[in-house]
Amino acid sequence: MELLLLVLLLALRFGGSEVLKITFWIEPVQRAEFDTDIAVVLKELDALRLDVKVDDTTLTLTRSEDGLDMQRFCEILSTAGASAVIDLTYSHWEEGYNLVRSLGIGYVRLERIMRPFLDMFGDFMRQKRANNVAMVFMNARDAGEAMQQMLIGYPFRTLIMDASQTDPGQHFLERIRSLRPAPTYIAIFARAAAMNGIFEKVQKAGLFQRPLEWHFVFLDTRDRVFKYRRQAELCTRFTLSPRAICRSMPMPDLYCGSGFTMQRAMLLNVLRSLINAAQGSPGYPTAIYQDCNATASTSEVGDPLKKDDYNWLDMVHWSNFLAYATPLTQIQDQFQRPVPGLTFAVNISAGYYSSEHEAKTDLAAWSSVGEMRLLNETISPARRFFRIGTAESIPWSYLRREERTGELIRDRSGSPIWEGYCIDFIIRLSQKLNFEFEIVAPEVGHMGELNELGEWDGVVGDLVRGETDFAIAALKMYSEREEVIDFLPPYYEQTGISIAIRKPVRRTSLFKFMTVLRLEVWLSIVAALVGTAIMIWFMDKYSPYSSRNNRQAYPYACREFTLRESFWFALTSFTPQGGGEAPKAISGRMLVAAYWLFVVLMLATFTANLAAFLTVERMQTPVQSLEQLARQSRINYTVVKDSDTHQYFVNMKFAEDTLYRMWKELALNASNDFKKFRIWDYPIKEQYGHILLAINSSQPVADAKKGFANVDAHENADYAFIHDSAEIKYEITRNCNLTEVGEVFAEQPYAVAVQQGSHLGDELSYAILELQKDRFFEELKAKYWNQSNLRNCPLSEDQEGITLESLGGVFIATLFGLVLAMMTLGMEVLYYKKKQNALEITQVRPVDDSSGSEGNSSTAPPTATSTTKQAWHIPVLEAEEKPAKVSPPPSFEAATFRGKKLPARITLGDGKFKPRQGLYARRNLGASDSHSGYME
C-alpha cells in the first residue's frame, strides 16, 4: 500500500513522464559545490522538456566502521529506489559497489574533476625539472582532490593549500611566506573570476616578486576575464580551448554559457547520455527498491562480476566530451578492484603572458588522451631562487647609508641596498650558477651564538632552522658551529685579530729648533756673548799693546774695538763667516780664542742635539705587539662587546686559569720528586688575564664603528682597538689617521655555510674552487683593500722630511732682522737729511792761511758772526762722531811732510767746510787733522 502511494506521488510530480532515479555518492568535502552544480544541471534539463525526468538522491559517505553508510544507502533503496548510481567519491566503496551490482543497478564512476589538470601540471613540471612546488586551490573540494592525487605521487615535492581557508595559521599567504625552503614554483588552480581575487591577495601581501615562478591554471574557458595580465608579465598560464570543448558537446549554446564549469558540463553530459540510453533501451530501466533487512546479505548474493544479467548501461553512448580514464594505481586493499571511471576529454595549452609577442607565447599543448607536445624544442626551467643569509660586517656585507646622516639608502621597491665583499661574491656566484637570491639578515643575534636554551641565533640560527638555504658572511669556522652546519672551502684564506691605533699627531712649533736647548742654556749663551763683548772692549781700550794705544806698532788702519764693534764681533763669531779682524793685543786674542772654542763646542752641541732630537721624534712608534700592549699602561685598549675577539680573550684567560690550577694542584700534591716542581718563574705568561681586565676597565664598545671613532679621537695615540684584522685593514685604507701595529694573531678562515647534508654543498664547493682558479677573490681583495687610496693621504714627516712648520721660526727670525734693518735704514735716511739741512743753513767763517797767500783778506780778525758759527759748528761735528786719529801711510808722510815743520793751522780748499759722507771719509778727515791741525 505504501509502495503504491509512493508511485502515485511520483506520477503526479513528473506529470506522467518517465522517471530516472539517480543516486550520487559524494565525499563530505564535495557537498557544497555539488549541491550548487546539480541544482543548475537539473534546471537546465528541465528547460529541455525531455520525456525522461531525473530524480536525484545524494549519499555523503563518512567511511565509518559502524556500517552507517550502508544503512543510509539501504534506506534510500527502500524508500526512493535507484535506477543508477553515479559515484563521485575519491576512493572506491567496495561494499556499496557489490550491493549495486548484485541488485542490477547501473553504476557509473566519475573521475575527479581536477585529475586532468593535475596530470597536465605534473607533466609540465617534469619538463622543468621542478623539485619544490606550492599549489593553491580555490576551494576545499579542489584541494581535497589534489590530496588524493598525492597518493599516486607527484614528480616533485609539493605543498597543497586552500585559498578559501580563513584561519590565521592556515592562510595560504602566511604559509607561502613562511615556507622553507622557498618553493621553486607556485601554481594557482582556479576559475577566472576566483583567480582575480586570489591574485589581488598575493599582490597586496608582496609575494608576487619573480614572475617566472608563478603558474596560473584556469579551470574554465573564461581565462580572458583575468584582468592582471599586464602585472603577470612572463607568468605561465594554462588555458582551455572553449571552441574545442563546445564543439565536442551536443548542445554548445547550452553548455558554453556564462555559468559553464567543468563539473557542471560533466554532470550534464553524463545525465543527458543516460537519458538518451534509457529512452533507447528495449526495456526502460525501472527503479529498484530493496529492503536490505528483508533480503539476504550481500555475501549471499555471490560475486557480482560473475552475474550475467542484462545491464541497460551497456546501451549508453557517451558524448565526445567524455572518455574512460586510465585506472589509477594507488595504495588500496587487496580486495578492491580498480573500476574505470569517466572523465572529460580536454586540450590544455601552456603559454606565458607577454604584452609584446602575444601570438608567440605558446609553449606546449597537452591532451587528456595523449601526451604533452612541446611547441618549442625545450621548456627552460626558471632560475632557482635561494635565500642567502648574511649579517652586517664591514667590509664583507653592509647596508648603504648616507655619509652625513647615516640613513639607509633604499631602492625603488623600498628595500635596503647591500654592498660589500660578500655581496659581490653572491652576485658573481648567482651568475655562474644561474639563480636568483634574496639576502636575509638575522632578526636576533649577529653571526651566531649558542644561548642558554641550546638554540642558535644569528646567521647560524637561520641556517639551522631552514630560514636560509646557505650563508655567505664573515662567518668563521668554529668546531661548535660545524656540529650543526656544514662549511665549504674558504673564500678568504686567513684573517685574524689585529691592533688599530692612531698615528700620533706631533705638535708643530715655528720655533721647534729652540726646544733643542733648555731656557737656561739659551740664557747662558746670551750671557756669554754679552760678557765676551764687554771684555773685548775693555781689553782693547786699556791694553797698552792694542792697536788703539800702540800707533807706532800699527801705523796702518786697524779695527778699533769700541763697545759696538765688540758686540758685533762676538755675535758674528757664531757664524761660519767669522767675526772679522781680531784684537791685536795678546790678552784680547787669548780671550777671543777661548770664546771661539766656546762657540765651536756650542755649535757642535746644538747641531748634534738638533739632529738627534728630530731623529728620535720621528722614530717614536707605538707598541709593536700584543705583549707590549699588555705590559704598558699609557695606552688604553678595548674590543667590540660580545664579539669573536672578545670571546677569544675570555677563552684565553680561561685557558690560563685552568693551566695554572692544574699546575698548582700537581705541584702541591707531589709527594715524590718535589724538587722537579721547584721553579722560579711560572712557565705560562698570565698576560690574557691582564688584557681582559684592561679591556673591561676601558668598557667594550657596542660596534666597530664606535671603536674606530674612539681611536681617531685620541690624537696622542693613547687608545687602541683590537678587532678583526681584515676590517682594520679596510678602515686604514679609508682613514689616513689610523695605522695597524703588530702582527695578526688567532688566524682563522672565512667560509660559506650550508645546512647539514644539503644538496647544494657540492655544487657551491665546485663553483668556489673555480672562482679561486680564476683569481676572482684576489680581484675582490684588491677592490676593497685598495692600497692606492693611501696615496691621497698627506705625507708624514717620516716621508717628506722636516716641514716648514717645524723650522718656520728660522725664517721668521730672518724676516724680523730684515724688517729691523729696513726700519734702521729709514731712521738713517731721516737723520742724514735732517743733519744736511742743518748744515746748509750754517756757514763756517774762513781761516787766514799762515803762509800769507796773496790777495787773501782773511788776516782780519774774525767777526762776531763767524765766531758764533764756528762755535756752533764744531760741537755738531763732535756730536756726530769724533774723527779717529789715524796716521797717514809712510809714503804720504815722506813725500809731503818730510823735513818740514808742520804749520800750526792749515786751511784746505777755499776755507769752506764740507762734510764728508761715510765713516771712512770721516776717518780720513781725522787723519788729516792729526797732521794739519783742526779745521775752522
Side-chain angles (χ1 to χ4, degrees):
M1 186 65 181
E2 294 178 357
L3 182 60
L4 180 61
L5 182 59
L6 181 59
V7 172
L8 293 175
L9 291 175
L10 290 175
L12 293 175
R13 174 184 176 185
F14 296 106
S17 300
E18 300 291 342
V19 177
L20 187 63
K21 294 181 175 295
I22 306 295
T23 300
F24 293 93
W25 293 349
I26 64 173
E27 299 284 350
V29 71
Q30 298 174 317
R31 186 76 195 193
E33 292 287 333
F34 177 79
D35 290 342
T36 303
D37 292 339
I38 194 63
V40 174
V41 168
L42 294 178
K43 184 178 180 181
E44 294 290 342
L45 290 176
D46 291 341
L48 294 177
R49 300 182 181 277
L50 300 175
D51 295 336
V52 178
K53 302 296 182 179
V54 176
D55 183 16
D56 67 296
T57 307
T58 304
L59 174 62
T60 304
L61 300 182
T62 61
R63 310 284 181 175
S64 60
E65 297 181 357
D66 55 359
L68 181 61
D69 293 338
M70 180 58 68
Q71 181 180 353
R72 294 173 57 196
F73 183 54
C74 290
E75 292 177 358
I76 294 175
L77 292 178
S78 61
T79 56
S83 302
V85 173
I86 300 179
D87 186 5
L88 281 78
T89 59
Y90 298 151
S91 59
H92 183 65
W93 184 28
E94 184 71 15
E95 187 179 3
Y97 174 76
N98 292 335
L99 177 61
V100 167
R101 293 300 302 270
S102 64
L103 297 177
I105 302 174
Y107 177 83
V108 178
R109 176 168 177 79
L110 300 185
E111 287 292 337
R112 296 184 296 273
I113 299 298
M114 296 299 300
R115 180 181 174 181
F117 298 100
L118 295 174
D119 291 342
M120 175 276 306
F121 187 72
D123 293 343
F124 189 83
M125 288 291 103
R126 188 180 293 107
Q127 294 290 335
K128 282 199 169 185
R129 299 186 294 276
N131 50 9
N132 296 320
V133 181
M135 296 191 295
V136 181
F137 296 89
M138 60 177 292
N139 52 42
R141 183 198 66 183
D142 295 348
E145 293 188 6
M147 293 292 292
Q148 293 297 320
Q149 186 83 3
M150 187 179 292
L151 298 177
I152 306 170
Y154 290 100
F156 45 80
R157 185 170 56 181
T158 183
L159 175 65
I160 297 174
M161 291 170 285
D162 179 11
S164 63
Q165 184 65 256
T166 58
D167 295 340
Q170 298 295 327
H171 200 278
F172 77 99
L173 298 175
E174 297 297 332
R175 296 182 66 185
I176 292 177
R177 183 181 286 108
S178 60
L179 187 60
R180 299 292 179 271
T184 308
Y185 300 102
I186 302 175
I188 302 177
F189 294 78
R191 291 191 289 269
M195 188 74 74
N196 288 324
I198 296 175
F199 186 77
E200 287 178 0
K201 295 178 181 179
V202 170
Q203 267 197 323
K204 291 180 180 179
L207 296 178
F208 187 77
Q209 297 178 355
R210 294 170 295 278
L212 294 176
E213 296 181 0
W214 289 82
H215 298 71
F216 301 100
V217 182
F218 291 91
L219 303 181
D220 56 10
T221 58
R222 304 178 61 205
D223 58 282
R224 293 190 176 275
V225 178
F226 184 61
K227 58 183 179 181
Y228 296 103
R229 290 190 294 270
R230 185 176 297 275
Q231 290 83 347
E233 186 87 5
L234 301 181
C235 292
T236 306
R237 52 169 175 77
F238 300 91
T239 57
L240 300 172
S241 174
R243 181 177 301 178
I245 292 177
C246 295
R247 207 179 306 155
S248 64
M249 296 182 180
M251 292 176 291
D253 295 337
L254 177 62
Y255 297 152
C256 300
S258 59
F260 169 82
T261 64
M262 299 305 296
Q263 174 85 356
R264 296 174 184 176
M266 192 172 181
L267 290 175
L268 191 59
N269 272 272
V270 169
L271 294 179
R272 188 70 177 88
S273 299
L274 291 178
I275 292 174
N276 293 337
Q279 291 177 345
S281 176
Y284 186 81
T286 59
I288 297 176
Y289 297 87
Q290 183 66 41
D291 187 0
C292 298
N293 296 327
T295 59
S297 61
T298 57
S299 60
E300 298 176 356
V301 176
D303 190 352
L305 296 180
K306 296 181 180 179
K307 188 176 182 63
D308 193 16
D309 295 337
Y310 169 77
N311 191 350
W312 68 276
L313 292 181
D314 295 337
M315 303 297 296
V316 176
H317 177 70
W318 306 110
S319 66
N320 295 331
F321 182 72
L322 300 175
Y324 281 103
T326 303
L328 299 175
T329 303
Q330 59 186 10
I331 302 174
Q332 54 188 347
D333 297 336
Q334 59 179 349
F335 298 105
Q336 288 185 353
R337 299 187 179 98
V339 178
L342 286 174
T343 185
F344 53 89
V346 65
N347 295 325
I348 303 176
S349 62
Y352 62 92
Y353 287 110
S354 175
S355 58
E356 297 180 359
H357 308 286
E358 184 68 26
K360 301 179 180 180
T361 58
D362 291 337
L363 299 175
W366 184 87
S367 175
S368 58
V369 296
E371 296 181 352
M372 179 166 287
R373 180 171 56 90
L374 300 181
L375 302 181
N376 295 324
E377 294 182 0
T378 57
I379 297 178
S380 300
R383 298 180 65 185
R384 293 175 296 173
F385 174 78
F386 298 121
R387 292 168 56 88
I388 304 176
T390 190
E392 276 200 275
S393 180
I394 298 175
W396 306 105
S397 51
Y398 54 91
L399 295 173
R400 185 184 299 178
R401 302 176 185 271
E402 291 285 349
E403 294 184 0
R404 296 182 179 180
T405 61
E407 296 181 358
L408 290 176
I409 300 177
R410 301 181 180 274
D411 55 13
R412 294 181 178 179
S413 62
S415 302
I417 302 175
W418 285 88
E419 293 179 330
Y421 183 102
C422 292
I423 306 305
D424 292 350
F425 177 29
I426 292 173
I427 295 174
R428 181 67 181 87
L429 201 62
S430 67
Q431 295 172 354
K432 188 175 185 62
L433 300 181
N434 190 28
F435 65 82
E436 295 181 355
F437 62 90
E438 177 187 1
I439 297 177
V440 180
E443 297 180 357
V444 179
H446 191 234
M447 290 301 168
E449 299 294 338
L450 193 64
N451 58 22
E452 298 177 353
L453 301 177
E455 299 175 351
W456 286 90
D457 60 4
V459 175
V460 177
D462 289 347
L463 198 58
V464 170
R465 291 187 297 271
E467 294 292 333
T468 56
D469 299 300
F470 57 92
I472 299 180
L475 198 61
K476 296 181 179 179
M477 301 173 64
Y478 293 152
S479 58
E480 58 270 21
R481 291 175 178 174
E482 289 181 330
E483 295 179 358
V484 293
I485 59 177
D486 291 340
F487 283 100
L488 304 183
Y491 63 86
Y492 192 85
E493 287 299 334
Q494 294 296 333
T495 185
I497 303 174
S498 184
I499 304 171
I501 198 169
R502 198 189 197 283
K503 296 177 182 178
V505 178
R506 298 187 178 97
R507 296 181 179 180
T508 58
S509 174
L510 296 177
F511 298 93
K512 194 173 186 177
F513 66 96
M514 298 290 291
T515 60
V516 177
L517 302 177
R518 302 186 67 174
L519 179 60
E520 55 267 24
V521 179
W522 287 112
L523 295 177
S524 300
I525 293 175
V526 173
L529 187 149
V530 172
T532 302
I534 294 175
M535 290 303 298
I536 291 174
W537 168 77
F538 180 80
M539 290 183 179
D540 188 76
K541 182 176 181 179
Y542 294 102
S543 176
Y545 295 100
S546 64
S547 61
R548 178 188 301 183
N549 299 326
N550 192 9
R551 297 290 185 181
Q552 292 78 11
Y554 306 100
Y556 49 86
C558 296
R559 185 176 184 180
E560 182 177 352
F561 284 90
T562 62
L563 193 61
R564 183 182 62 181
E565 285 294 320
S566 299
F567 274 102
W568 181 252
F569 176 82
L571 183 62
T572 55
S573 294
F574 276 96
T575 63
Q577 186 66 26
E581 184 180 357
K584 302 300 181 181
I586 296 179
S587 60
R589 291 188 177 186
M590 292 180 64
L591 176 62
V592 169
Y595 180 68
W596 282 350
L597 179 61
F598 165 76
V599 169
V600 170
L601 294 177
M602 191 55 63
L603 287 178
T605 303
F606 178 79
T607 303
N609 287 345
L610 180 61
F613 177 79
L614 296 177
T615 303
V616 171
E617 184 184 26
R618 295 170 62 182
M619 290 179 60
Q620 288 181 355
T621 55
V623 294
Q624 293 297 326
S625 64
L626 183 65
E627 290 76 9
Q628 295 181 10
L629 187 66
R631 288 196 298 265
Q632 58 83 43
S633 58
R634 185 183 69 88
I635 302 176
N636 296 324
Y637 46 91
T638 188
V639 297
V640 176
K641 186 177 182 180
D642 298 332
S643 63
D644 293 340
T645 305
H646 194 185
Q647 189 63 38
Y648 167 78
F649 289 108
V650 173
N651 295 343
M652 292 301 292
K653 180 183 181 302
F654 175 76
E656 283 183 346
D657 296 341
T658 303
L659 291 175
Y660 176 76
R661 185 177 64 255
M662 294 174 62
W663 175 267
K664 184 175 66 173
E665 292 177 356
L666 185 63
L668 293 178
N669 297 330
S671 58
N672 299 325
D673 297 332
F674 59 89
K675 62 181 180 180
K676 294 181 179 180
F677 299 96
R678 186 170 61 246
I679 59 175
W680 283 263
D681 190 12
Y682 184 58
I684 299 177
K685 298 179 180 179
E686 296 180 317
Q687 64 176 0
Y688 291 99
H690 299 296
I691 292 175
L692 188 60
L693 183 63
I695 288 174
N696 294 332
S697 62
S698 299
Q699 298 298 326
V701 295
D703 51 24
K705 184 178 180 180
K706 180 64 175 177
F708 287 120
N710 291 345
V711 173
D712 196 17
H714 289 73
E715 297 182 352
N716 295 329
D718 56 353
Y719 190 90
F721 182 49
I722 307 176
H723 195 56
D724 180 77
S725 61
E727 189 168 348
I728 286 178
K729 288 182 174 65
Y730 174 77
E731 192 67 23
I732 288 174
T733 60
R734 300 173 67 248
N735 191 341
C736 298
N737 296 330
L738 302 182
T739 184
E740 183 183 15
V741 297
E743 297 182 354
V744 179
F745 57 94
E747 293 182 336
Q748 285 181 329
Y750 285 145
V752 178
V754 297
Q755 299 176 8
Q756 281 191 335
S758 174
H759 65 282
L760 299 174
D762 295 339
E763 186 178 6
L764 292 175
S765 298
Y766 184 74
I768 292 172
L769 294 177
E770 284 191 337
L771 291 177
Q772 288 179 349
K773 183 179 66 176
D774 298 338
R775 298 183 179 274
F776 171 72
F777 297 113
E778 295 181 8
E779 297 176 2
L780 287 184
K781 186 175 181 180
K783 174 182 177 181
Y784 286 96
W785 288 273
N786 189 2
Q787 299 298 325
S788 61
N789 294 338
L790 299 177
R791 300 174 184 174
N792 301 326
C793 296
L795 297 176
S796 62
E797 291 186 1
D798 299 343
Q799 298 170 324
E800 65 179 359
I802 302 175
T803 61
L804 183 62
E805 295 178 352
S806 300
L807 296 179
V810 178
F811 299 94
I812 292 178
T814 304
L815 183 62
F816 176 76
L818 177 62
V819 173
L820 186 61
M822 294 300 296
M823 294 175 61
T824 306
L825 176 62
M827 294 175 63
E828 289 178 349
V829 171
L830 293 176
Y831 177 75
Y832 172 74
K833 288 184 177 181
K834 182 178 181 181
K835 185 181 69 174
Q836 188 177 16
N837 293 336
L839 290 177
E840 287 179 355
I841 63 176
T842 305
Q843 296 181 357
V844 181
R845 182 188 178 105
V847 181
D848 293 340
D849 191 359
S850 59
S851 61
S853 301
E854 295 181 359
N856 193 349
S857 59
S858 61
T859 56
T863 62
T865 306
S866 62
T867 304
T868 307
K869 291 181 178 180
Q870 289 182 356
W872 176 84
H873 172 70
I874 293 175
V876 172
L877 182 61
E878 293 179 354
E880 179 183 359
E881 183 179 355
K882 185 178 180 180
K885 296 180 180 180
V886 181
S887 300
S891 59
F892 177 80
E893 182 179 357
T896 308
F897 304 108
R898 184 174 298 174
K900 294 184 181 182
K901 183 178 181 181
L902 295 176
R905 304 177 70 87
I906 297 177
T907 303
L908 301 178
D910 56 358
K912 296 182 180 180
F913 176 75
K914 297 180 179 179
R916 307 290 294 273
Q917 298 180 358
L919 177 61
Y920 185 76
R922 290 194 294 270
R923 288 179 178 176
N924 291 339
L925 180 59
S928 301
D929 291 343
S930 63
H931 294 279
S932 57
Y934 295 97
M935 291 185 179
E936 294 182 0

